[in-house]
Amino acid sequence: MKLQRKNRVRALAVGALAVSGALTLSACGSDDTTGAGGGGAAKPSNIKCDGKGKLLASGSSAQKNAMDVWVQNYSGACKDTEINYQPTGSGAGVTTFLQGQTAFAGSDSALKPDEVTKSKRVCKGGQAVDLPMVGGPIAVGYNVPGVDNLVLDAKTLSKIFNSEIKKWNDPAIKQLNPGAKLPDLKIQPFHRSDDSGTTDNFTKYLKAAGGWKHEPAKKWEGEGGQAASGSAGVSSQVKQTSGAISYFELSYATASKIQTAKLNTGAKEPVEATVDNASKAISEATQVGKGDDLALKLNYNTKAESAYPITLVTYEIACSKGNKAETLPATKSFLTYIASKDGQSALKELGYAPLPTEIADKVRATVAKIS
């Protein structure tokens, strides 16, 4: 069963985002071509099934591999409910939710104040709230023949992704990798073409720790480089392009066997992109949302030992009040499951960091109040 799940994640991360149409997983089957849909996943015994019919959601592609497993588990237990999550990117997911077309959205960035205001038109008598649900490292994946152990820092990454450092044997990279045989090879930086919370988090790190010349945003603002859609798109380009480098959620690197850079953060040793190292960074996050809005502020400039600073916390965005009567039971049931201990425990083997206990407890309490 574990092997099935890993194979399934590998196939999805390499290319499933390119499949046209919505991903729909139900108790009877799936669009997944690996054969692991439907009854292939464990069915946690604590799932309380409420509601019937189809539940629509969309957004973050960084959380897609987690969502696939959650949906499979939930649909296996709740045969009357069909969950349809489309990994359209954080920006598109928030837009669709604010238009009232989906029950909830996935986003790698918390809502902006004007988006919260807009949400009051959809959430009658309430507003949208940010519910942290998935944590993990944003890996810096690269494809440099002969280089299996690469160290970079925020300043160098800022210059690479702004097309100021153009060759892999640049003196700045050599200084960080004195023992490496760096080739005279053109650097091919890839960024997201879609509005992306992963881009937002990555550029927040570059700004905080590396002097990034642009304002952090979901839309890419750097100069030069090439673009691809979604985490699957940029990771695929790195896999097939000599000299390439990009940023994407760790499970895409793991699934495609892409080398990832360690970061010189000022700690004693360069820090690797791992779930545990990301968890150490996430534990330093502070809540900046008010009341039931659990938006977090991450410390991208951490120098703590073994704390990997390019992390993201992906939120599920839902109405605190005013949910549609036909979708409320299933929405609340599904969010309750994914925030539960069983839901969170499914994450680590996929390359995600389960929420710290104190954050998870707040999420569960907030979900319980959704109406």
Side-chain angles (χ1 to χ4, degrees):
M1 187 178 302
K2 187 174 181 181
L3 181 59
Q4 279 185 324
R5 180 177 293 174
K6 289 185 176 180
N7 286 341
R8 179 173 181 274
V9 171
R10 180 174 295 111
L12 287 165
V14 172
L17 289 181
V19 178
S20 61
L23 173 69
T24 304
L25 297 175
S26 67
C28 298
S30 151
D31 290 337
D32 170 31
T33 57
T34 65
K43 300 176 183 178
S45 59
N46 73 332
I47 294 179
K48 183 176 183 296
C49 303
D50 287 318
K52 295 181 179 181
K54 182 179 291 186
L55 196 68
L56 301 178
S58 65
S60 165
S61 64
Q63 69 168 261
K64 180 183 182 293
N65 293 334
M67 191 62 72
D68 285 340
V69 172
W70 282 336
V71 169
Q72 186 180 10
N73 288 347
Y74 184 85
S75 297
C78 304
K79 301 182 183 301
D80 293 330
T81 306
E82 185 180 287
I83 311 292
N84 183 320
Y85 181 84
Q86 298 186 45
T88 54
S90 297
V94 170
T95 296
T96 303
F97 173 78
L98 293 177
Q99 293 171 344
Q101 298 179 31
T102 52
F104 67 90
S107 177
D108 306 331
S109 298
L111 292 172
K112 296 177 181 178
D114 65 313
E115 292 173 330
V116 173
T117 299
K118 290 178 182 178
S119 74
K120 294 178 181 180
R121 296 198 294 263
V122 177
C123 307
K124 304 298 183 183
Q127 66 175 53
V129 290
D130 298 288
L131 303 171
M133 206 66 74
V134 180
I138 300 173
V140 177
Y142 68 93
N143 181 348
V144 183
V147 179
D148 297 328
N149 187 10
L150 182 69
V151 177
L152 297 170
D153 61 15
K155 184 177 180 180
T156 304
L157 280 169
S158 294
K159 291 183 177 181
I160 286 173
F161 280 92
N162 206 44
S163 300
E164 297 171 54
I165 292 178
K166 301 179 184 296
K167 290 289 188 73
W168 279 108
N169 62 351
D170 186 275
I173 302 177
K174 281 185 175 181
Q175 186 175 357
L176 291 165
N177 300 272
K181 295 181 179 179
L182 297 166
D184 182 17
L185 177 66
K186 181 181 177 181
I187 297 176
Q188 306 263 20
F190 284 88
H191 57 265
R192 292 278 290 271
S193 59
D194 52 320
D195 285 3
S196 160
T198 308
T199 295
D200 191 26
N201 283 274
F202 182 62
T203 53
K204 282 178 179 175
Y205 163 73
L206 296 183
K207 185 74 170 181
W212 181 244
K213 295 180 179 180
H214 312 278
E215 286 304 310
K218 292 180 182 178
K219 183 177 178 62
W220 183 257
E221 299 290 347
E223 298 176 15
Q226 302 175 66
S229 179
S231 297
V234 291
S235 61
S236 177
Q237 289 297 327
V238 171
K239 179 72 173 179
Q240 66 190 26
T241 306
S242 180
I245 185 171
S246 190
Y247 56 93
F248 35 83
E249 177 269 324
L250 180 62
S251 73
Y252 289 88
T254 303
S256 298
K257 298 182 180 179
I258 297 171
Q259 297 280 0
T260 62
K262 296 179 181 178
L263 298 180
N264 182 336
T265 64
K268 291 181 181 178
E269 298 291 336
V271 183
E272 186 177 356
T274 68
V275 169
D276 289 338
N277 291 348
S279 292
K280 290 182 180 179
I282 293 171
S283 68
E284 296 185 19
T286 55
Q287 182 180 337
V288 293
K290 297 179 181 180
D292 289 334
D293 189 340
L294 302 180
L296 301 174
K297 181 178 181 181
L298 298 168
N299 181 8
Y300 297 101
N301 208 23
T302 180
K303 293 178 175 56
E305 296 300 322
S306 300
Y308 185 82
I310 319 180
T311 59
L312 60 78
V313 172
T314 291
Y315 301 89
E316 310 312 331
I317 295 170
C319 292
S320 60
K321 296 180 181 179
N323 286 275
K324 296 177 181 178
E326 62 269 27
T327 60
L328 172 61
T331 298
K332 194 168 182 177
S333 171
F334 181 68
L335 294 179
T336 296
Y337 160 59
I338 67 177
S340 71
K341 290 182 180 179
D342 279 351
Q344 290 292 303
S345 68
L347 295 178
K348 193 167 183 178
E349 69 179 77
L350 303 178
Y352 297 103
L355 295 174
T357 301
E358 61 275 15
I359 297 175
D361 286 344
K362 290 181 179 180
V363 173
R364 292 164 192 157
T366 300
V367 171
K369 294 189 288 184
I370 288 176
S371 62

